[in-house]
């Protein structure tokens, strides 16, 4: 999984019918210090993550292993809201 | 999913028989400001996206989870046309 | 899919038995101007692509969705020979 | 698989129900000299790896091929603790 | 598939039980001139590749399509030992 921070939402009326009702969050990648990187991914939200939340994003076929995304054309999903990191660097 | 902008079309007569009838769009990656990046992907269109449209592209095995692409040798598909982004950076 | 140009062939006598009889083409990535990049991938050919041809390469599990590559340990396959690109940049 | 070193743990109360009970380790990528790189991945631990351990991480759908992660929305898993590398460079 | 050169072996006693008996080779990526790059992958060997051999590595779910790796948590496998490259650059 990768670590990111929700910074916004994508609005899309015209989309694959399998995606209707899903929330597409914009997740910027962050470092272990929560500092934003320049890269981002658009991920379906399954844990009610809001803007500002630090989250874990699962990608690829594993992104379809949730109740919301099963068999859907989705390749990134927010699977957890991070409380904190314990890092011994 | 990644964010991109349709900038053109690929024409290919000789191709795998499973791909006949599909439309291959050239999608340049864009940032949250819709500015074009140098990288691009060729994606099958399932939502009638046209040149200039900002879109979401699903990759990998998830790209085969649409009616058009199921069981096809396709690893990227346009799944939505973006209306707008709400970004709180 | 990614865009590339066939620049050569890999010869390998000792290989997984599932790969016997396949043709392994060396495909350098190209830009929309067909200019060669430094990176490349080795892909199984299913459309009789020859050296100099600009092609589309499908990667990952989708590379196994052709008659030639089904259930084989192959992660990249040439699925089309490109005639031309229409690009409105 | 990629080589990494466990440098910490992610704590997340709110998460997909399929992930309850899993341990999420922060794994920084390392070179063959075990020197830490800047990049990292969050991986589920299945071999009781602890902070400081050099490990192998399996990604993608293959990350779901363990008893702990089968059918779960997990895309990275620690599959081995490395004793040593024999490198002839 | 990617092109690499076997430069060593990973030793790991503590590992997922599905991996017992597999040989983990360290494969540095190489260019078409066989020059070593800085990046590497750890791949399961199925073709008795030895140190110094130039090989093809298959990644992702396709890495599980060999007799040795089927249904195993393995995301990279050596599928061929390269005899030579014919390159017309």
């Amino acid at each position: 999984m990768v670590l990111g921070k929700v910074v916004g939402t994508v609005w899309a009326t015209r989309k694959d019918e399998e995606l209707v009702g899903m929330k597409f969050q914009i997740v910027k990648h962050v470092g272990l210090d929560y500092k934003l990187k320049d890269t981002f991914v658009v991920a379906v939200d399954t844990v009610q993550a809001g803007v500002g939340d630090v989250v874990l994003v699962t990608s690829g076929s594993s992104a379809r292993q949730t109740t919301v995304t099963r068999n859907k054309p989705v390749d990134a999903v927010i699977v957890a809201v991070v409380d904190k990191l314990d890092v011994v660097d």
Side-chain angles (χ1 to χ4, degrees), chain A residues 12-75:
Chain A
T13 312
R14 185 149 40 111
K15 60 193 161 198
D16 187 278
E17 56 183 15
E18 298 281 8
L19 301 182
V20 173
M22 291 186 186
K23 184 156 194 183
F24 296 95
Q25 298 286 43
I26 302 166
V27 182
K28 277 205 170 180
H29 296 122
V30 299
L32 294 177
D33 54 2
Y34 291 174
K35 206 165 154 187
L36 295 174
K37 295 183 184 296
D38 281 337
T39 54
F40 67 95
V41 66
V42 177
V44 169
D45 181 23
T46 68
V47 291
Q48 317 287 355
V51 167
D53 281 341
V54 173
V55 296
L56 289 181
V57 175
T58 293
S59 300
S61 62
S62 296
R64 301 197 307 272
Q65 307 290 322
T66 75
T67 312
V68 175
T69 57
R70 198 163 307 272
N71 299 328
K72 307 294 188 193
V74 165
D75 64 5

